[in-house]
Amino acid sequence: MNLILLGAPGAGKGTQAEMLAEKLQIPTISTGNMLREAIANGTELGKQAKQAMDEGRLVSDELVLGIVAERTAKPDCKNGFILDGVPRTLAQAKALDAMGVRLDHVVSLEIDDAVIEGRMTGRRVCPKCGASYHITANPPQKDNTCDQCGAELVIRKDDAPETVKSRLVVYHQSTEVLKDYYAAQNKLRLVEGNQSIEGAFQDILKALGEKV
């Protein structure tokens, strides 16, 4: 099963992708994590991505689609995959279709902007392994420490209040139109995002026709 998760920044796509990957036994392709890895390694593409992300802008289609094409060609994707963070624009969606990337379902986590802004202030990420947490919804076992590798958690620059507002504007302008695009292909599945993590997960499984 090949899936896309849509939703505003902070809607919970990353957490749901991890849970779905375990349930369906398919890999999650998170462009955000890939880009952050490039940034941490100081590559040229990483530098370009960092500037865009810090300013709340979208990374170029060429960079994002190059990452996706390379990743989906790997052997572990032959039985399916979950795209987290791409496509973000109509041009990217059409490019994926043109590339022959088959999609079965597109899940959109629906949530109000005001709720998103509140969520973002509590988000923490691991700079070492990329694991994500939330101080109330998904806290680490030990305060401000990654459960997986023990590194100190940080607040990403793109989770700062002014950047969050900018990212939401970009989302509504560029990404939300994707819902119409995939609805026309009968692939769109709407799921209420303003509920517990487990509740949203159960609703996603139902929308995909999977056993809960």
Side-chain angles (χ1 to χ4, degrees):
M1 184 183 294
N2 298 344
L3 308 175
I4 288 177
L5 291 184
L6 295 179
K13 297 186 299 297
T15 299
Q16 294 299 333
E18 289 178 9
M19 296 170 70
L20 284 168
E22 183 176 353
K23 172 75 173 180
L24 303 175
Q25 291 297 295
I26 55 178
T28 296
I29 301 174
S30 171
T31 52
N33 284 346
M34 291 184 197
L35 290 171
R36 280 187 281 278
E37 182 178 345
I39 290 170
N41 292 336
T43 65
E44 186 57 39
L45 292 178
K47 292 176 183 177
Q48 295 175 26
K50 184 178 188 304
Q51 183 176 356
M53 292 168 69
D54 284 349
E55 294 173 1
R57 294 184 292 106
L58 295 179
V59 178
S60 73
D61 287 358
E62 182 179 7
L63 174 59
V64 172
L65 294 177
I67 290 174
V68 172
E70 184 176 75
R71 183 66 184 86
T72 55
K74 292 186 177 181
D76 65 336
C77 288
K78 67 178 182 178
N79 293 323
F81 53 81
I82 302 167
L83 290 182
D84 173 18
V86 66
R88 287 185 172 178
T89 65
L90 189 56
Q92 287 181 359
K94 291 180 177 179
L96 285 177
D97 284 346
M99 288 163 56
V101 177
R102 178 182 61 82
L103 297 170
D104 298 305
H105 301 285
V106 177
V107 176
S108 177
L109 291 171
E110 302 290 294
I111 189 164
D112 292 338
D113 284 3
V115 177
I116 289 291
E117 292 180 32
R119 280 187 176 187
M120 300 291 260
T121 59
R123 190 155 70 172
R124 303 291 184 271
V125 296
C126 177
K128 187 174 180 180
C129 72
S132 61
Y133 303 87
H134 192 280
I135 57 176
T136 55
N138 182 34
Q141 294 177 7
K142 183 180 178 182
D143 283 351
N144 216 40
T145 303
C146 179
D147 294 342
Q148 298 184 29
C149 69
E152 183 177 357
L153 302 179
V154 299
I155 300 174
R156 286 168 24 199
K157 286 186 178 179
D158 49 345
D159 286 341
E162 62 276 9
T163 307
V164 171
K165 290 181 183 295
S166 175
R167 293 174 72 195
L168 285 170
V169 169
V170 170
Y171 169 74
H172 289 301
Q173 289 177 342
S174 303
T175 312
E176 218 167 35
V177 296
L178 293 175
K179 291 196 289 187
D180 292 335
Y181 181 74
Y182 287 117
Q185 297 181 8
N186 197 31
K187 295 177 180 177
L188 183 68
R189 312 288 180 257
L190 301 180
V191 173
E192 172 59 52
N194 190 21
Q195 59 175 314
S196 69
I197 292 173
E198 184 60 31
F201 181 59
Q202 299 298 324
D203 284 351
I204 290 173
L205 292 178
K206 292 174 184 176
L208 298 178
E210 291 289 318
K211 291 182 178 180
V212 176

